[in-house]
Amino acid sequence: MSSKKPHQLEATLKQFWDGLDDHAWIKDLNGVYVQCNTAVEKAWSRPLSSIIGKTDYEIFDKDLADKFLVTDNIALSTGKQHIVEECARADENGQEIWLETIKSPVIDDDGQVIGVSGMTRNVTRRKQVENQLALAAKIFHNSNEGMIITDVRGNIMDANPAFSNITGYTLSEVIGRNPRLLQSGMHNVDFYRSMWSTLENDLQWKGEFINRRKDGSLYPQMTTITKVLDNNQQLMNFICVFEDVSVQKAHEEKLEKLAFFDHLTELPNRATLLKTMNEQIIHASNTQQMFATLFLDIDHFKHINDSFGHQSGDQILTELARRLRSQLGRHDHIARIGGDEFVILITDIVSMVEVTAVVERIFSLFNQSFNLIPNESLRISTSIGIAMYPSDGLDAEALLKNADTAMYLAKNNGRNGYAFYTPELTDVALSHVRIQSALHNALEQEQFSLAYQPQFDLANNQLKGFEALLRWTHPELGNVSPAQFIPIAERTGLIQAIGYWVLTSACQQAKRWLDEGHNFGKIAVNVSAVQLRQRDFIDKLTQILLNTGCPASRIEIEITEGFLIDNKDQAIHDLQLLQKLGVSVALDDFGTGYSSLSYLKGLPLNKLKIDRSFINDVPDNNESNSIVNAIIAMAKTLSLEVIAEGIEQAEQMDYLTQSGCHSGQGYFLGKPLTTNDATQVIR
C-alpha cells in the first residue's frame, strides 16, 4: 500500500472537512478564526475570506459574541470537551431549529493549548423527540385517566398516579403483575376472549369494564387498549388508558330516572305508564285476561296547596304514594301522571269483585289522616274512575281517557267514591267539551240572563226578596242547565268573569227597581267558592256597588260550606269584610256538609238556607224532619234567620211554618221569573 504525500493528505482531509454537514471551525487563543469548513460559510451566509482572521465580535452582534466567548473559555480553562445547546433564531424557512455545539481545546505536540475547536450540528429532530417524550411523561403523570404500560405478556411495567387514585393500588404493588388482579368477576370468559381477538387483528380495543378496587368496591371504567409496535411491526408493549365513569353513570341514571319517573314520589311517570300499559295489553290479549285501569284524583287538592302551601301538598303526595304502593299486588303497577293524579293497573283479574276489593282497600288508606307539621294533620278523600280492558278500551290512551271520564262521574256524584266507565259517559264527556267551547263566547254574545225566584215570609206570605238565578240559552245547545256548565266554568276559570257579570247584573236590577220606587227586599246572589277565594273579590264587589249605585244592604251573598272548610280563618276574615261592607251573608245548601253547632259558632253569617234534599221528604220522612228541626234550632240558637228552598207542596210549607222556619222559596210559592214578570210581582 503506497503512502500519500503530505499535500495529498491535506487535500483529502480538506475534502472530508468540507464534506461534513456539521459546522466545523478552529479559533486561536485570541478568538481569531483560523479555519472553518464550507458548512460554516453556508450557515453563516459568509465567504471564507470574511471569517478567517476575524473574531466573533467582528462577525456577530456583541451579545452573541459574548455568549460564544464564555463557552470558549470554559473549554480552554477546563481543558475538556464542553457541550453547548442553543436555540437558533430560525432557519432559512423561518422555522425554529435547535443546534448543539461541541467545543474542545486544541493541543499541540508539546501538550500546550493553542486554541479551541468547535463542531455544531442540527439536533432539532432529537429535541422534538425529547420534547414529545417529556410531554408524554407529563401527560402520563398528571392525567386524570388511569394509564398502564405492560410488556408483550401483559405484565405491568409502569402505571401513573391516576391509576393508583382510581384502583387504590400503589405502583409497587402492581409492577410485574397482570392487570387481571382488577377483575370483578362480572365478565365471563367470552368477554375477554372477544377483547383479545380484536387486539390480534386491530391496533386498538375500546370498551367498558366493571372492575374491582383494592378495597373490594366495584366501579365501571371506559377503557382503550392500544398495541405499541416497533419499526419492524413487532409487538413491544400494550398501553391501557381508562376512566372511572361512576359519576357519569350516576348522572345517566339520574337523567333516565327524570325521564321515566316522577321526581317527587319516585313513581313511574306518564311515559313509563303508557309503556307498561302497552305491555300489559299484549299480555292480557295473549292470555285472554282482563285488567283494570284506576284513575285517582285527590278531592279539593288545590285548596290544600292554597291553604297549607305546596310543601305540605308535596308531603301528602309522597305519603299517599307510599300508602298506595303498599296495597299493590306483585304484578300490579302504579304511576303519578299529574299534580294530584295517580293511575293504578290491577292485573290478572278474574272477576270484578277483585277490582272493588282493591278499590275499598285504597279508600281505607284515606281513613288515616296525613300529618303535615307538628300538631297539624289533614283528612283527605279521593275520587276514582275505573276502565276495564278490553271492554272499555283496546289501547292505553283509550283506557286512560275513559278511566278519567269515569273519575269525573265519581266527583259529580259527590266525590269520595268511585265509578266504572260506561259508553254513556263518553257522550257526557263530549257534551262537556262542547259546553266548555261554547262558554268562552257566551258572555261576549250576551247569551246569559238572570231569572229571579221570589222568597216569601212563610207566616204572612209577604215578599222578602229574590234569588238571582243564572240562565244560559245557546243558539245550538238550547237552554243549558247550570248544573252542567257551572262546574265546567269553575274548572276552566271562566267562573270569574261569569260571576262578576251576575253580580253586576243583579246590582243594576236592584238599583233600577229602587229608582222605580219598588220595595223588593234583597237580591240573593250565589257566589262560587272559586271566586270568593280571589284576593281582590271584596275590592271588585265594592267597585260594582259603587259603579251601579246599588246599596250594599240590598245584596245578599250566598256561600257554600266548601268555602268555609278549606281555610276557616281566612273565610271568617273575608265574611267579616262582607258584613262590614253592608252585604248580608247566607250559608247555602246547609246540612249537606260538615254542619254542627260548634262549627257554626263564631261564623259571621246572617242566614242559613236548608237544602232542598231535606225539604223534599218532609213531612213524611222522620229523618228529614229531624234534620230540618235541628237546623232551625241551631239557627235560633245563633240568632240566624233560616230559609228553606225547594218548597213544592202545601204540606211542606205548613210543616216548615209550624217548625219555626221564617222564610221559603220554591215552585209552590213562585217559580223563577223573568225581569219583567218579577217587576210585575213587586208593583
Side-chain angles (χ1 to χ4, degrees), residues 6 19 33 40 85 165 186 248 289 298 341 347 381 530-531 555 635 663:
Y33 285 94
V40 172
E85 276 190 348
N165 294 336
M186 302 291 288
Q248 179 183 335
Q289 289 183 315
I298 301 175
E341 296 174 337
T347 63
S381 63
V530 175
Q531 188 175 5
I555 297 298
S663 309

Side-chain angles (χ1 to χ4, degrees), residues 60-301:
F60 306 105
D61 62 58
K62 183 179 182 303
D63 290 340
L64 192 55
D66 286 343
K67 184 177 180 182
F68 290 164
L69 182 60
V70 169
T71 55
D72 287 350
N73 288 335
I74 292 174
L76 291 171
S77 62
T78 62
K80 295 180 181 179
Q81 179 176 286
H82 178 67
I83 300 176
V84 180
E85 276 190 348
E86 55 187 333
C87 179
R89 294 180 181 176
D91 62 10
E92 60 273 15
N93 298 316
Q95 298 296 317
E96 183 182 72
I97 59 173
W98 284 87
L99 301 176
E100 179 184 78
T101 300
I102 302 172
K103 294 185 177 182
S104 303
V106 179
I107 303 172
D108 63 11
D109 293 340
D110 296 328
Q112 296 297 313
V113 176
I114 61 173
V116 61
S117 67
M119 182 173 289
T120 302
R121 64 179 56 182
N122 189 327
V123 293
T124 302
R125 178 57 186 158
R126 189 193 76 192
K127 196 68 176 178
Q128 289 173 340
V129 171
E130 289 175 354
N131 288 340
Q132 289 172 353
L133 289 173
L135 180 61
K138 189 173 183 179
I139 293 172
F140 183 78
H141 287 96
N142 292 283
S143 173
N144 290 325
E145 296 179 318
M147 296 185 185
I148 305 173
I149 301 175
T150 75
D151 58 21
V152 293
R153 294 183 299 278
N155 295 323
I156 298 174
M157 299 171 63
D158 198 2
N160 70 345
F163 167 85
S164 298
N165 294 336
I166 294 172
T167 67
Y169 287 98
T170 63
L171 180 60
S172 61
E173 290 175 316
V174 298
I175 290 293
R177 300 181 66 180
N178 193 285
R180 69 173 61 94
L181 67 94
L182 300 171
Q183 286 184 4
S184 63
M186 302 291 288
H187 306 287
N188 57 28
V189 175
D190 291 338
F191 175 84
Y192 294 106
R193 185 179 292 127
S194 173
M195 180 189 77
W196 287 113
S197 175
T198 300
L199 282 169
E200 284 180 10
N201 299 304
D202 301 321
L203 286 174
Q204 198 173 75
W205 177 88
K206 289 184 178 181
E208 185 177 318
F209 284 127
I210 301 294
N211 270 350
R212 189 181 300 276
R213 296 185 179 89
K214 183 180 178 180
D215 64 9
S217 61
L218 301 180
Y219 69 97
Q221 70 175 51
M222 190 60 67
T223 308
T224 301
I225 300 175
T226 305
K227 293 193 298 188
V228 180
L229 307 178
D230 62 16
N231 292 335
N232 297 318
Q233 299 300 300
Q234 296 300 306
L235 180 63
M236 293 173 57
N237 304 94
F238 291 103
I239 296 178
C240 174
V241 180
F242 66 93
E243 177 186 7
D244 181 352
V245 292
S246 301
V247 174
Q248 179 183 335
K249 288 287 184 183
H251 285 319
E252 289 174 355
E253 290 173 4
K254 186 176 181 180
L255 288 173
E256 182 176 2
K257 196 168 185 179
L258 287 173
F260 298 106
F261 290 84
D262 170 50
H263 74 281
L264 177 64
T265 62
E266 297 186 351
L267 293 177
N269 61 12
R270 186 183 184 90
T272 307
L273 172 68
L274 291 173
K275 181 175 179 291
T276 302
M277 289 184 74
N278 289 329
E279 292 171 353
Q280 187 60 40
I281 288 170
I282 293 172
H283 171 74
S285 176
N286 292 337
T287 58
Q288 297 297 302
Q289 289 183 315
M290 59 182 178
F291 68 89
T293 301
L294 277 57
F295 198 114
L296 285 71
D297 185 276
I298 301 175
D299 298 329
H300 301 300
F301 188 72

Side-chain angles (χ1 to χ4, degrees), residues 26 32-37 47-55 59:
I26 298 174
V32 177
Y33 285 94
V34 296
Q35 193 174 353
C36 67
N37 67 357
L48 188 64
S49 60
S50 67
I51 298 174
I52 301 301
K54 307 287 186 181
T55 66
I59 300 172

Side-chain angles (χ1 to χ4, degrees), residues 71 75 84 95 137 214 234 333 390 393 491 515 559 583 620 677:
T71 55
V84 180
Q95 298 296 317
K214 183 180 178 180
Q234 296 300 306
H333 305 276
R491 239 180 5 251
D515 290 345
I559 66 171
V583 174
D620 300 324
D677 290 341

Side-chain angles (χ1 to χ4, degrees), residues 594-610:
Y594 299 84
S595 315
S596 70
L597 182 61
S598 60
Y599 185 82
L600 288 175
K601 191 175 181 180
L603 290 177
L605 300 172
N606 303 98
K607 184 184 294 185
L608 295 183
K609 196 169 190 180
I610 305 174

Side-chain angles (χ1 to χ4, degrees), residues 264 297-318 320 336 338-342 366 370 372 378 380-382 411 415 566:
L264 177 64
D297 185 276
I298 301 175
D299 298 329
H300 301 300
F301 188 72
K302 183 181 182 300
H303 302 164
I304 295 172
N305 276 336
D306 292 344
S307 302
F308 297 95
H310 287 273
Q311 184 176 356
S312 296
D314 288 349
Q315 281 182 257
I316 289 175
L317 292 172
T318 304
L320 178 58
R336 180 190 177 209
D340 60 332
E341 296 174 337
F342 296 83
F366 290 82
F370 290 77
L372 301 181
L378 190 67
I380 62 174
S381 63
T382 186
K411 284 192 179 293
R415 306 181 190 273
D566 291 329

